[in-house]
Amino acid sequence: MTDDSEDRWSRVLADVRAFVAEREWEPFHDPKNLAMAVASEAGELLSELRWIEGPESDAHCRDPEHRQAVIDEIADVAITLTMLADRVGVDLPEAMHAKLVKNREKYPADEWRGR
Ligand SMILES: [Mg+2]
């Protein structure tokens, strides 16, 4: 990551940790509960797109009437995922980078482009 993105990620992580600490929620945040929270928030995100036809979903997400709700649920997924990663000692940006390296090996662009 660049210095700027490291600073931004450090601020996000500190903000998430403060949110949890201020509420003394650590005892409830075991990995199983946080994994369920990620899935629950992913379900809330999905519910924002329920019954929207696939080809219409881009327009739905840009529609000012629905956009903020979609943004909020994307953020909830990211927040709960950040909580889970932090609880189990995973550097989330590093884990994402490492997994993308694996995924590039598994799905070579020349072989998988467009399919
Ligand atoms: Mg939510």
Side-chain angles (χ1 to χ4, degrees), residues 37 40-45 69 72-77 80:
S40 174
E41 294 298 347
E44 291 180 20
L45 173 59
D72 285 351
E73 295 311 333
I74 289 171
D76 277 343
V77 171
T80 51

Side-chain angles (χ1 to χ4, degrees), residues 69-89:
V70 171
I71 291 170
D72 285 351
E73 295 311 333
I74 289 171
D76 277 343
V77 171
I79 290 165
T80 51
L81 188 62
T82 300
M83 290 174 177
L84 174 60
D86 196 38
R87 177 70 174 228
V88 300

Side-chain angles (χ1 to χ4, degrees), residues 40-52:
S40 174
E41 294 298 347
E44 291 180 20
L45 173 59
L46 188 55
S47 78
E48 292 298 324
L49 297 165
R50 185 181 303 162
W51 310 126
I52 307 297

Side-chain angles (χ1 to χ4, degrees), residues 8-111:
R8 177 174 280 194
W9 177 250
S10 293
R11 286 198 305 274
V12 167
L13 193 54
D15 206 18
V16 168
R17 286 173 174 165
F19 180 86
V20 174
E22 288 160 0
R23 288 157 186 78
E24 299 180 357
W25 281 355
E26 293 93 339
F28 310 109
H29 282 190
D30 61 71
K32 186 203 61 125
N33 282 348
L34 288 172
M36 289 196 306
V38 171
S40 174
E41 294 298 347
E44 291 180 20
L45 173 59
L46 188 55
S47 78
E48 292 298 324
L49 297 165
R50 185 181 303 162
W51 310 126
I52 307 297
E53 295 292 332
E56 303 301 320
S57 58
D58 278 313
H60 182 84
C61 290
R62 287 192 301 267
D63 184 339
E65 185 179 340
H66 303 287
R67 185 164 178 76
Q68 190 58 53
V70 171
I71 291 170
D72 285 351
E73 295 311 333
I74 289 171
D76 277 343
V77 171
I79 290 165
T80 51
L81 188 62
T82 300
M83 290 174 177
L84 174 60
D86 196 38
R87 177 70 174 228
V88 300
V90 169
D91 179 327
L92 189 54
E94 179 54 36
M96 291 170 65
H97 173 73
K99 189 60 168 70
L100 280 168
V101 169
K102 290 180 186 175
N103 289 352
R104 282 189 178 93
E105 291 172 5
K106 186 174 182 180
Y107 303 105
D110 287 345
E111 188 178 335

